[in-house]
Amino acid sequence: MWYGDGYIMIGFSQGYFVVISTHIREIGQELFQAHNHKDSLTSIAISQSLNKAASCGDCCIKIHDLTELKEMYAILNLDEETKGLDQLSWTDDGQLLAVSTQRGSLHVFLTRLPILGSSSGTRMAYLTSLLEVTVANPVEGEAPVVVAVDVEPNFIAIGPYHVAVGMNNRAWFYAFGENGVERLKDTEYLGTVVNMCLNADYAAALFEGKVQLHTIEGEEQEERQTKLFSGGDDKYRILSHALTADFLFFSTDTGLIQCFFIEDWQNINEYRHPVGVRRIFPDPSGTRLIFTDDKSDGFLYCPVNDMVFEIPNFSPTITGALWETWQGDKGVFVAYDDDKVYTYAFHKETIQGPRVILVGGTKLPFSHKPLLLHNGELTCQTQSGKTNSVHLTSHSFLNTNFSEASNEQLTQMLQKALMLKRFQEAWELCKLVNSTDTWAEIGRTCLHHIEVELAVQVYRMMGNVGMVMSLENIKTIEDQNLLAGHLAMFSNDFNQAQDLYLASSCPSAALEMRRDLQHWDSALQLANRLSPDEMPFISKEYAIQLEFIGDYVNALSHYEKGMTKDNKYQEHDEACQAGVARMSIRMGDIRRGVNLAIKHPSRALKKDCGAILESMKQYSEAAQLYEKGQYHDKAASVYIRCKNWSKVGELLPQVSSPKIHLQYAKAKEADGKFKEAAMAYESARDWDNVIRILLEHLNNPEEAVRIVRETQSIDGAKMVARFFLNLSDYGSAIQFLVLSHCSDEAFQLAQQHGQMEVYADIIGPEATAEDYQSIALHFEGEKQHLLAGNFFQKCGQFSRALKHFLKCSNTEDSLAIEKAIETVGEAKDDALTNQLIDYLMGESDGMPKDAKYLFRLYMALKQYREAARTAIIIAREEQSAGNYRNGHDVLFSMYTELLTQKIKIPSEMATNLMILHSYILVKIHVKRGNHLKGARMLIRVSSNISKFPSHIVPILTSAVIECHRAGLKNSAFSFAAMLMRPEYRNKIDLKYKKKIEAMVRHPDTSELEEDSTPCPFCGFQLPECELLCPGCKNNLPYCIATGRHMVKEDWSVCPHCDFPALYSQFIQLLETESVCPMCLESLSVNQVRRISDCSSYLQLNELEQ
């Protein structure tokens, strides 16, 4: 048996079943073989409509699918036919399969049910057997209800409360009740019913190009019981109809779509399509309607406003359409044919206006007829009388585990969700992908659909502050066109934005947008329509852009159009005049441009026009404009290019550019006008040329030297050095050679002309160790030991330095020893130290040196204890020689140094310093006329008179006199008696001798009692000049102003030497004295402060002890 495109199926009586091909490449090849029946095969049959083949034998029938022969589709057993089967045959439509048997029986099998079904809302009715209709509501989970019917129906219709089945011109109506399905009635029509629709109260039947609308049940007014819609006189034939809760729609072969409002029982709307309308599919509310026409094109029609939208990518094989029943997707629908389902979305509000888009396509399984669409799930009826669910690929994001999906899959799902305006799911997908591109995509989609609030959230998530602020500013706008215009502008769809702005209540927004975008042509056209007053200002802005891109002809035209000649806009007109001036020059009308620029008040315009003229090599006009604009540097530069030196000279005082001064200077030097040239070089700060002119032409070395010293010019210094060398002024030449970093030439010159000391002074602190060594070697060769040693010390060669210092002559002895001590202190070398000590002690030459040098050596070596002992010896020698101030200063300096180094003060040093300081205070107090204080200090000094061997008699004499004056008669008597000793008596000054003798002969032992003050350590009351406390046995700190012991409540210190003083007494002393009596540093009353807490000074005093 032949089938398909050249294939033959052969059955063999032994039970084999074979398929071969007649194609040239496959001829003779066996494509399929099966041993279908064990004993015998009696017949085979093929149904092209079902695409199936059947074979019979061995009391059974086996059915194969021709697309996949290896798989068995069904097996039908006829065990009661013991004699065997005979012939097998299909009906043409494949619905019935008949088999005859050997015993004369005929068996007929139903192989395919007619696919009949209908839906209303989420409820559907479909044929499950020839005499059974099942009503189900899978969305709301209602149990299926089976309705038994009397005849095999040709059509089925379902409404909210009824189901109808029918055949030919008759229909049976059933109602859904609490007790199941009840049969209501049957109705006959005037012709064979092609299709029927139901709503809650009415049924509408289509037959013979007419539609009859009638009630199903209930008491209605007689005129509202039924109505027949027909073309009458063959004006048109109704091809399709549909019934919603409120409306009846029907379409005709002439392209008419009519809407009948059941409530008012009248036609309320009609739409005429150019060609006949085959099928119509309204949504449940009746506000949108899909229809297909005779050209197989699909359209979406809105009866509310008569708007029609062509459905894109509409397949010509489409046989039906379904609207989404889920409330969240009211604008979603599918169109389907035998193989595929296409998902579409109608977006009512976008910035481009309402439109229909194709979301995606889903393959439809074989022989599936869609009945119901709910939330992306398509319920289909199959040939077997059952239903099957198909998940649309456009809604794949609803049925996918996101955690298992790849980024690419998530991105694809995001695009589908955005097409369907499922923003909640899109947000979740975006959070999973979390890329800038996906957030930007959802943001653009929100703008497209005028979802401003959501767009704000998206752009806030992205961190796009500018977009968030812009959207916040516009979200309260109520004018939909104006709002959409702003969003279109944000989406860079400027033409659409303009159209929306013009349709809004604020058309001037279109002009503002075009101005902001610098779309000047469009802005001018809009301004001409909307705001003619703005045209001059737009023309000026357009001209600026044209000037920038070099279109000078049109720029000039627009600058001229921009003139308002209104004093109110003077600044604007001046800008246009400036543009006209520039463009005139650019276009070659130089005279006009220059005249306009000169008359114009703007300096910047003169500069701009000057630059244009300069680029055009019109130098005289350019310079003239620069000069008028007071751009003197520019003007002078252009005049130089013209060689107009007289003009340059006039402008030079106002010129600040060094380059112009330099050019002018060179020109003047070439003319031999050196003074003017030097001034110009100086203005240009070209100091080398100034120095050259001063030396070579103006013979003014003093000015040249001044400039070199101020500017530190190296080349200038070289020129000055050469000048002085020619004059044989070697010292100056050396100085300027060093300044010009020519140290080698300076050294050689100093060596040749005996100017090494000058050279050494000049190089100063900038010299290197090598420089000092070279100088030292020079002086070593000249036998100048002091200088040689000095420079060996500077370069760090201490041994050689000491050697030369010790060789110095007697005339340089003091300075040489000082330098030797300094060298040894720096070297910190024991051998050099011992060598110098031997020299100072006289062991090398038998001549001991002054002890002060040994003291300074110990100080340089920081050997403070040895220095202290030496200081005591030196002070003792100074005291013996009567140099009490020198001894005081030596002890004071050593005392402060030991304090700094935190070394304990020797008691002998502290005592000697105290006695010497008391002696110095005597002179101060006596000079101020304070005899009591002077007498107290003289008593202390006289008690230690052995420390003053050179002045025993004068001191004792002064003590007698001062004590007598102060009323200390007993003390005066005791010191007078001491003077009467034989060794002192003859040395007494004759002026006082008789008085002292009389004082001894007639003694007066009365004594003014000394005041007591508390010890600062323990508070014990003791005489104020007593420095040893009987209570705590502490040596007490003494006041440097009075010599008395210190008191806690009256404490101050010298800010320079930090020695204590009684604040009240120190202030009195400084009223007549200007220096500290201890350190001799300048001091005023304002610098002294009373100290409330003296505990730190008392601790320091303990350290001294």
Side-chain angles (χ1 to χ4, degrees), residues 127-153:
L127 191 67
T128 46
S129 75
L130 291 177
L131 297 174
E132 271 185 6
V133 173
T134 299
V135 177
N137 191 339
V139 175
E140 296 181 8
E142 294 178 3
V145 177
V146 176
V147 180
V149 295
D150 297 334
V151 296
E152 179 186 348

Side-chain angles (χ1 to χ4, degrees), residues 28 113 135 284 318 324 399 425 615 689-690 803 883 958 1072 1092:
L113 268 175
V135 177
I318 293 296
E324 173 68 77
N399 313 297
E425 290 83 356
S615 68
N689 276 318
V690 175
K803 174 184 161 187
N883 299 324
S958 298
T1072 56
S1092 57

Side-chain angles (χ1 to χ4, degrees), residues 619 636-648 663 667:
Y619 297 123
S637 174
V638 177
Y639 278 130
I640 286 170
R641 296 175 80 172
C642 304
K643 308 292 187 204
N644 191 342
W645 298 110
S646 62
K647 273 287 188 183
V648 176
Q663 290 175 304

Side-chain angles (χ1 to χ4, degrees), residues 56-243:
C56 63
D58 292 346
C59 302
C60 71
I61 301 168
K62 293 188 177 181
I63 302 172
H64 291 263
D65 194 321
L66 291 177
T67 55
E68 191 58 60
L69 288 165
K70 291 179 183 178
E71 291 184 10
M72 190 73 68
Y73 179 75
I75 299 175
L76 304 173
N77 290 309
L78 299 168
D79 296 333
E80 68 276 11
E81 298 295 340
T82 54
K83 291 186 178 181
L85 305 180
D86 189 15
Q87 294 297 314
L88 190 67
S89 181
W90 300 85
T91 57
D92 290 341
D93 60 3
Q95 189 170 344
L96 300 174
L97 174 65
V99 59
S100 60
T101 66
Q102 295 289 350
R103 62 181 195 142
S105 301
L106 179 68
H107 296 271
V108 180
F109 297 93
L110 181 67
T111 58
R112 183 177 71 173
L113 268 175
I115 299 178
L116 287 177
S118 176
S119 66
S120 174
T122 56
R123 181 176 283 138
M124 57 186 180
Y126 53 94
L127 191 67
T128 46
S129 75
L130 291 177
L131 297 174
E132 271 185 6
V133 173
T134 299
V135 177
N137 191 339
V139 175
E140 296 181 8
E142 294 178 3
V145 177
V146 176
V147 180
V149 295
D150 297 334
V151 296
E152 179 186 348
N154 287 340
F155 60 87
I156 295 175
I158 189 169
Y161 310 115
H162 308 90
V163 64
V165 297
M167 182 179 180
N168 298 332
N169 66 337
R170 193 169 180 184
W172 288 264
F173 292 89
Y174 299 84
F176 309 129
E178 292 179 1
N179 300 322
V181 179
E182 300 175 2
R183 180 170 166 179
L184 286 179
K185 63 177 181 179
D186 63 283
T187 303
E188 287 191 15
Y189 298 95
L190 300 176
T192 302
V193 177
V194 179
N195 191 19
M196 179 175 280
C197 302
L198 305 180
N199 67 11
D201 302 311
Y202 288 88
L206 172 63
F207 55 87
E208 295 180 359
K210 301 169 186 172
V211 169
Q212 184 173 345
L213 177 68
H214 63 88
T215 56
I216 301 172
E217 58 178 322
E219 299 296 326
E220 289 285 346
Q221 299 173 10
E222 188 175 339
E223 67 271 10
R224 294 171 64 92
Q225 287 279 335
T226 184
K227 182 174 177 67
L228 183 67
F229 298 89
S230 67
D233 302 328
D234 296 328
K235 287 182 183 177
Y236 57 77
R237 282 177 55 78
I238 298 174
L239 301 179
S240 176
H241 80 299
L243 196 60

Side-chain angles (χ1 to χ4, degrees), residues 930-983:
N930 197 326
H931 299 291
L932 179 59
K933 289 180 181 174
R936 295 289 184 199
M937 292 300 102
L938 277 168
I939 291 169
R940 183 183 292 168
V941 171
S942 299
S943 300
N944 296 277
I945 197 66
S946 61
K947 307 247 184 228
F948 303 88
S950 301
H951 297 83
I952 291 174
V953 173
I955 290 171
L956 290 173
T957 304
S958 298
V960 171
I961 294 166
E962 290 302 318
C963 286
H964 187 76
R965 282 180 179 173
L968 304 176
K969 304 278 178 72
N970 191 37
S971 297
F973 168 74
S974 63
F975 293 132
M978 198 182 290
L979 280 170
M980 290 297 105
R981 290 178 185 175
E983 64 266 30

Side-chain angles (χ1 to χ4, degrees), residues 942-1049:
S942 299
S943 300
N944 296 277
I945 197 66
S946 61
K947 307 247 184 228
F948 303 88
S950 301
H951 297 83
I952 291 174
V953 173
I955 290 171
L956 290 173
T957 304
S958 298
V960 171
I961 294 166
E962 290 302 318
C963 286
H964 187 76
R965 282 180 179 173
L968 304 176
K969 304 278 178 72
N970 191 37
S971 297
F973 168 74
S974 63
F975 293 132
M978 198 182 290
L979 280 170
M980 290 297 105
R981 290 178 185 175
E983 64 266 30
Y984 304 139
R985 190 168 187 171
N986 294 329
K987 295 178 183 177
I988 300 171
D989 191 337
L990 294 174
K991 188 168 54 174
Y992 302 114
K993 190 173 183 181
K994 287 184 179 181
K995 289 180 181 178
I996 293 170
E997 288 173 348
M999 200 180 291
V1000 173
R1001 289 192 189 103
H1002 307 287
D1004 184 353
T1005 56
S1006 64
E1007 183 91 13
L1008 186 67
E1009 190 176 348
E1010 189 176 355
D1011 294 338
S1012 295
T1013 51
C1015 166
F1017 289 101
C1018 65
F1020 182 84
Q1021 293 288 332
L1022 71 160
E1024 58 187 5
C1025 288
E1026 184 62 51
L1027 298 181
L1028 179 65
C1029 176
C1032 61
K1033 307 300 183 189
N1034 272 321
N1035 284 321
L1036 306 184
Y1038 56 90
C1039 168
I1040 58 173
T1042 62
R1044 299 170 183 169
H1045 70 76
M1046 291 298 295
V1047 178
K1048 271 188 177 182
E1049 291 75 20

